[in-house]
Amino acid sequence: MGLGYTEKVMEHFKSPHNMGEIKNPDGVGKVGNPVCGDVMKIYIKVRRYKGKEVIGDIKFQTYGCVSAIATTSMMTKLAKGKDLDAALKISRNDVANALGGLPPIKMHCSHLATEALEAAIKDYRKTGKKKAK
Amino acid sequence: MMDKVYLDNAATTRVDSEVLKAMEPYFTKDFGNMASLHSCGREAEHAVEKARRDISKKVNGKDHKLVFTSGGTESNNFTLKGVAFANRDKGKHIITTKIEHECILNAAKWLEKQGFDVTYLPVNKEGFVELDVFSDAIRKDTVLASIIHANNEIGTIEPIRELGKIAHDHNVLLHTDACQSFTKVPIDLKKDNIDLMTINSPKIHGPKGAGGLFIRQGVKMEPLLHGGGQEFGYRSGTVNVSGIVGFAKAVDIMKDKHLKHMEKIRDMLIDGATDIPESWLNGPRGKDRLANNAHFSFRHIEGESLIVHLDLKGIAASTGSACSSKSLEPSHVLMAIGLQPEDAHGSIRFSVGKENTKEEIEYTLRSLHEAVETLRKMSPLK
Ligand SMILES: Cc1ncc(COP(=O)(O)O)c(C=O)c1O
C-alpha cells in the first residue's frame, strides 16, 4: 500500500500498546478535532516512587489514521514508568524516531500525541494530585 | 483468509486476457506507424479504424468523431481548454459541477486564471445536479457545460439527456465525462444530447494509456497537442495502436450478464455494510446508481485506518478521508453532498468488477464488520 509507513508504524497500528480506558484516572488529556480527522485521549495513573511522581499506568483512545494510532501507541510506551518531568520531555521527534520515521505529511500526528500527554499531566497537576497515592 | 480481493475497480481494472491477446500482434507483428505508407502501417491503420467504428457504434456516434487520447485526464483537459479557446469570440463562461474529477476541476481553475469564468454547480444530497439549478446558471456568454455522467466516488448517474436538452435549448455545448459509466450505462450520443464525451479504457479491463473523446461534427476545438496532425488534426503524436485495439476489445466483451452480476454483488455489499450501526450508503439506490459502486460512511472511525485494516486482510478499497489525501482535505464530492467533515473522514468506497465472486463479498463483509468494531473500540468518540 503506497502510504509510506515503516514496519514499526504498522506493528503499532496492528497491535497497539496500552489501548483502552483507565477507570478513575488521575489525569486525562484530550486533543484534536473530529473535523480534522484526529482525536486522541490519554488517561494516566500516577504513583509515587522514590520521592518522584511516576506514570504508573497509561492508556489511550484514538480516532484517526494509521499514524495517529501508531504515534499514540508509541508515545504511551515511551511514557510508561517515566517520572512526570521526564515524560514531558518526550518530543514529537522522539516519538517519530522510535517509529522509524513518519511520512512528512503525518508529522503532525506525533505532535498531537505529545500534546495529549502534556494535557493529561497538566490535568493531573491541576485536579488529580490529591487523589494519587 | 482469502488471497486477494480487489474491490477498487473504479480506480482501475485488470486487463482482461482476451484484451491482452487482441493487443499482442500490434506490439510484435503489426507494429507499424499508422502514418507510414508501407503495409505494416496499413494493418495498424485498419485496426484503429475498425476500433473507432466499433466503439462509436456502441453509443450511436454517427454524428461524432471519436478522437483517441491517452485517457480521461487528457480528454477532459482537451475538452475544457479546446472548447474554451476555440469559442472565445462567442463567450467566456463555462459551467461544471462541484463533483467532477480533479482533472475537470483543475483544468477549470486554470482557465479561470486565463480570464475565463466558471460556475461550479451544487448537487443535492444524493449527488444529482438539479435541472432548474443548471438552467438558472446559463448565461448569454455560456459556451460549454461539462457534467460528469456517473460520479466516480458515490456512483450517482446524472440525468444527462435532460441536462443536454437544456444546454441545447440555450445553444450551449454539453460535455460529459463518462469514464466511469461508459459500457455500464446505456448511452446514445444523439438522443442524450451529448456534444462531447470522454471515455477511458483502464476502467473497463482495457489497457492503461488509452481513452477517447467523442466530438460532434461542427464543434469548434483547439488541439491540446500540436504536431504531425494525427487523429484528424485534433491530437498529434504516434497513435497508440495496441492500446486502441485493446480498448475496443474491452468494449466488445462487456456484456449485460456482467452488469447484472455487478449489480447483484453491489447490492449484497450495500445490504451487509449498512447493517453496521451508525453507517449509511452515500449516493442513490437503484437504477440511478452505477452498477459497480458502493460507498459508505461509518461514524467515529477514520477511513485510512479502515482501508489499511482491510488491506491487511487482502481487501483493496479506497477512501475519501482527508488523511489519505495529499492535501489533508476531505473529498470535495462528499463535502458537496453535505456530509460533515468528520463523517467524510469515515468513508470508504468499494467498486466491484465482473471478476468478483459472492464468496469474496461475504468475506469482505465479515472483515468490514470486524475492522469497524476494532477501530470503534479504539475511538474516543461515542
Ligand atoms: C470520472 C473520472 N474522470 C476522469 C478520470 C481520469 O482518468 P485517467 O486517470 O485515466 O486519466 C477518472 C479516473 O480516475 C475518473 O474516474
Side-chain angles (χ1 to χ4, degrees):
Chain A
M1 172 153 284
L3 292 166
Y5 290 128
T6 64
E7 257 172 56
K8 202 91 202 155
V9 169
M10 289 308 292
E11 239 175 76
H12 277 260
F13 172 71
K14 279 190 270 184
S15 325
H17 297 233
N18 307 307
M19 199 266 287
E21 268 178 272
I22 297 178
K23 296 238 158 67
N24 306 313
D26 297 327
V28 179
K30 189 169 161 193
V31 298
N33 185 331
V35 175
C36 310
D38 322 270
V39 178
M40 300 176 179
K41 197 169 179 185
I42 301 287
Y43 305 80
I44 54 170
K45 206 79 187 157
V46 178
R47 278 192 294 121
R48 291 207 174 274
Y49 180 72
K50 295 191 176 160
K52 284 194 167 163
E53 293 170 307
V54 171
I55 297 183
D57 197 9
I58 181 163
K59 287 245 151 73
F60 82 90
Q61 288 175 315
T62 291
Y63 156 78
C65 63
V66 171
S67 100
I69 290 168
T71 51
T72 20
S73 166
M74 178 52 88
M75 189 277 294
T76 60
K77 194 178 164 202
L78 294 178
K80 197 165 178 172
K82 281 209 167 59
D83 71 69
L84 297 186
D85 291 328
L88 283 171
K89 288 207 185 86
I90 299 171
S91 72
R92 61 173 114 171
N93 285 332
D94 294 338
V95 177
N97 291 341
L99 287 167
L102 286 173
I105 198 165
K106 301 285 187 172
M107 276 304 284
H108 70 280
C109 293
S110 63
H111 184 50
L112 272 180
T114 54
E115 274 187 346
L117 177 63
E118 271 170 48
I121 293 175
K122 239 186 220 158
D123 179 56
Y124 159 73
R125 288 187 164 158
K126 216 167 68 200
T127 65
K129 211 151 189 164
K130 283 162 264 142
K131 285 189 277 165
K133 290 186 217 56
Chain B
M1 176 160 154
M2 284 204 156
D3 215 18
K4 273 271 173 270
V5 181
Y6 185 75
L7 294 172
D8 201 13
N9 288 279
T12 192
T13 51
R14 180 206 311 279
V15 172
D16 193 282
S17 57
E18 276 189 66
V19 169
L20 198 58
K21 210 168 86 203
M23 290 172 71
E24 232 228 286
Y26 299 93
F27 289 108
T28 49
K29 192 167 131 282
D30 300 316
F31 59 86
N33 191 322
M34 251 176 84
S36 307
L37 295 178
H38 46 69
S39 63
C40 195
R42 285 288 67 71
E43 282 309 315
E45 186 180 8
H46 287 316
V48 168
E49 293 319 320
K50 179 173 186 319
R52 204 186 309 275
R53 278 195 309 275
D54 290 350
I55 297 176
S56 296
K57 229 180 261 162
K58 282 271 168 182
V59 291
N60 190 20
K62 285 196 288 281
D63 300 344
H64 293 69
K65 271 204 159 54
L66 171 57
V67 173
F68 287 114
T69 67
S70 65
T73 300
E74 184 188 328
S75 295
N76 286 344
N77 269 271
F78 176 26
T79 299
L80 260 60
K81 296 171 190 175
V83 172
F85 279 95
N87 294 277
R88 265 181 301 185
D89 53 332
K90 230 194 109 205
K92 290 192 133 191
H93 183 230
I94 294 165
I95 297 174
T96 185
T97 79
K98 293 190 170 167
I99 60 163
E100 301 297 314
H101 189 271
E102 288 82 353
C103 57
I104 290 281
L105 293 176
N106 288 334
K109 278 189 209 142
W110 182 83
L111 283 173
E112 284 187 89
K113 280 198 245 156
Q114 313 307 312
F116 293 91
D117 221 3
V118 182
T119 300
Y120 301 87
L121 298 177
V123 295
N124 69 17
K125 270 191 348 228
E126 290 188 317
F128 292 108
V129 175
E130 285 173 353
L131 299 182
D132 50 346
V133 172
F134 176 46
S135 51
D136 289 349
I138 296 176
R139 311 191 314 212
K140 276 210 188 66
D141 62 339
T142 308
V143 289
L144 172 71
S146 176
I147 298 176
I148 195 165
H149 192 217
N151 184 264
N152 47 305
E153 286 188 51
I154 58 171
T156 309
I157 301 170
E158 300 295 341
I160 213 69
R161 183 173 297 187
E162 291 75 14
L163 292 163
K165 170 90 171 45
I166 294 169
H168 288 179
D169 286 348
H170 293 83
N171 205 17
V172 170
L173 295 171
L174 184 87
H175 166 251
T176 192
D177 173 0
C179 282
Q180 294 290 340
S181 54
F182 177 53
T183 71
K184 298 192 194 83
V185 180
I187 297 171
D188 181 316
L189 289 175
K190 200 177 168 105
K191 284 198 190 133
D192 290 339
N193 304 307
I194 297 168
D195 298 298
L196 300 123
M197 182 169 80
T198 293
I199 57 176
N200 204 356
S201 151
K203 311 284 187 194
I204 56 168
H205 303 279
K208 294 171 184 52
L213 181 68
F214 283 98
I215 306 172
R216 190 192 292 278
Q217 322 263 10
V219 170
K220 275 186 12 191
M221 296 279 283
E222 287 292 342
L224 204 55
L225 302 179
H226 300 90
Q230 288 91 339
E231 295 294 285
F232 321 106
Y234 281 122
R235 203 274 183 183
S236 289
T238 300
V239 174
N240 175 8
V241 177
S242 55
I244 290 164
V245 167
F247 187 10
K249 189 72 187 179
V251 173
D252 178 50
I253 61 177
M254 177 68 112
K255 293 286 179 301
D256 241 18
K257 64 174 187 206
H258 299 132
L259 288 175
K260 293 241 161 64
H261 173 68
M262 286 192 269
E263 276 172 7
K264 201 165 101 196
I265 56 178
R266 171 200 70 186
D267 289 340
M268 257 179 87
L269 263 175
I270 292 177
D271 293 341
T274 49
D275 269 354
I276 296 174
E278 298 210 66
S279 72
W280 63 86
L281 177 75
N282 294 306
R285 282 177 196 259
K287 66 172 187 11
D288 291 330
R289 181 173 204 102
L290 211 49
N292 68 338
N293 172 294
H295 187 286
F296 307 104
S297 292
F298 302 100
R299 281 241 159 91
H300 306 321
I301 62 172
E302 191 280 325
E304 184 199 278
S305 290
L306 183 55
I307 293 288
V308 173
H309 255 294
L310 293 175
D311 189 48
L312 292 170
K313 297 183 190 218
I315 300 163
S318 89
T319 175
S321 165
C323 292
S324 69
S325 75
K326 293 194 177 72
S327 62
L328 297 183
E329 296 288 331
S331 138
H332 63 279
V333 175
L334 302 182
M335 293 296 95
I337 60 168
L339 286 197
Q340 296 302 311
E342 55 269 43
D343 292 330
H345 295 315
S347 72
I348 184 167
R349 178 188 72 186
F350 295 105
S351 42
V352 303
K354 62 178 180 180
E355 297 167 335
N356 292 120
T357 64
K358 239 181 90 205
E359 289 69 34
E360 286 179 337
I361 301 300
E362 283 162 359
Y363 170 74
T364 299
L365 284 168
R366 278 198 305 279
S367 307
L368 178 67
H369 276 252
E370 279 167 30
V372 170
E373 204 179 303
T374 305
L375 289 169
R376 279 187 177 162
K377 254 192 221 146
M378 225 181 269
S379 173
L381 308 178
K382 295 278 153 346

